[in-house]
Amino acid sequence: EPIDQYAVPRSLRTSMRHPQVNKASLKQFYAKYCEAVPPADHPAGPDGVAGEKFLELFQDLEVDPSCDVAALALSAACNASEMGVFRRREFICGCAVLEVDNLNDLRKKMPELRAGVLQGKALPEVYAYTFGVALEAPSKVLPLEEAQQYWALLLPEWPLREEFCEWAGKHMRGKAISRDLWMMVLKLATEVPADLSTYDENPAWPVVFDEFVEYYREKRGA
């Protein structure tokens, strides 16, 4: 398998030079965790890190994928096409871009991946990636319940997150999040202060946000 920079989020590419990894070591690292993952003719390879092996990898990385955003950041670096699976090409290319070829080096990289998201530098790309990988084909929308779990990982510091989720759970029609709405939540969380003082400066917010803001202001007596 050639190691290349294919389809990797821009914020995660160190540069366009050839990554400095030992290919033999990287293949050995991958072999420790891989198993056959159908279909055999998948463009990213007939095998991958999945199921028990996926959990074992994260255990060895000392990361809990259920509550640590570093796991999502690694999936984004690998550009993994399905949740909970790193196919051969995805894993090898992702590690190459991160310039790691063994377990120890990848473990040391996890704090950096976590900080990249939580401090905002890699957040837009990991956030956009998450929506696509979380969808269950052929659905084009994410159930609100699932979206809430990802928001807790990706936007833990957003002061209005719980309030918005609670409101959406009671008042949102369909209880499903489209890609557009998903991306607008990021905008609301990162560009508007918690007191919503600058909210009205942007006339392009979706109606659902207008309704939430109206509810929130009434509740706060603003």
Side-chain angles (χ1 to χ4, degrees):
E1 281 293 311
I3 290 177
D4 59 25
Q5 300 269 4
Y6 99 115
V8 169
R10 200 168 297 111
S11 63
L12 295 167
R13 289 180 212 149
T14 39
S15 71
M16 291 309 284
R17 67 190 164 76
H18 278 292
Q20 303 301 303
V21 292
N22 178 322
K23 291 182 187 183
S25 170
L26 179 47
K27 283 183 175 170
Q28 206 178 342
F29 174 30
Y30 173 71
K32 181 176 188 263
Y33 297 97
C34 79
E35 55 188 37
V37 180
D41 61 353
H42 193 286
D47 47 31
V49 182
E52 290 297 316
K53 289 289 192 183
F54 185 85
L55 295 175
E56 189 187 320
L57 170 66
F58 278 101
Q59 210 168 350
D60 293 347
L61 290 171
E62 295 163 14
V63 164
D64 179 351
S66 69
C67 61
D68 189 338
V69 78
L72 272 179
L74 178 59
S75 294
C78 294
N79 204 28
S81 58
E82 48 201 301
M83 195 60 84
V85 180
F86 295 142
R87 287 190 175 269
R88 173 188 292 261
R89 188 174 168 80
E90 295 166 346
F91 186 82
I92 287 184
C93 290
C95 286
V97 167
L98 294 172
E99 302 197 331
V100 297
D101 54 29
N102 60 75
L103 177 67
N104 209 22
D105 285 356
L106 185 54
R107 191 190 294 120
K108 287 181 192 157
K109 201 83 176 176
M110 299 313 281
E112 190 185 314
L113 285 170
R114 185 183 300 113
V117 177
L118 296 179
Q119 290 164 15
K121 192 177 152 205
L123 176 62
E125 293 189 59
V126 175
Y127 185 91
Y129 160 82
T130 299
F131 184 85
V133 79
L135 288 180
E136 294 275 339
S139 179
K140 296 270 193 287
V141 293
L142 200 57
L144 177 62
E145 212 170 287
E146 273 185 59
Q148 289 178 355
Q149 290 167 6
Y150 290 117
W151 286 329
L153 282 178
L154 291 157
L155 305 170
E157 301 297 315
W158 181 30
L160 298 179
R161 178 173 54 82
E162 289 181 8
E163 196 98 49
F164 176 73
C165 288
E166 192 185 322
W167 176 86
K170 287 179 187 161
H171 303 282
M172 220 172 120
R173 284 184 291 280
K175 309 277 187 283
I177 306 293
S178 67
R179 182 181 288 276
D180 282 353
L181 193 57
W182 172 262
M183 293 312 295
M184 288 302 251
V185 167
L186 177 65
K187 209 171 157 61
L188 184 66
T190 56
E191 294 178 19
V192 177
D195 64 0
L196 299 170
S197 54
T198 62
Y199 180 82
D200 303 312
E201 290 166 20
N202 179 355
W205 293 116
V207 173
V208 65
F209 285 7
D210 292 342
E211 290 171 359
F212 165 68
V213 169
E214 194 181 334
Y215 154 86
Y216 183 80
R217 284 174 174 163
E218 272 175 24
K219 192 177 163 188
R220 288 282 175 276

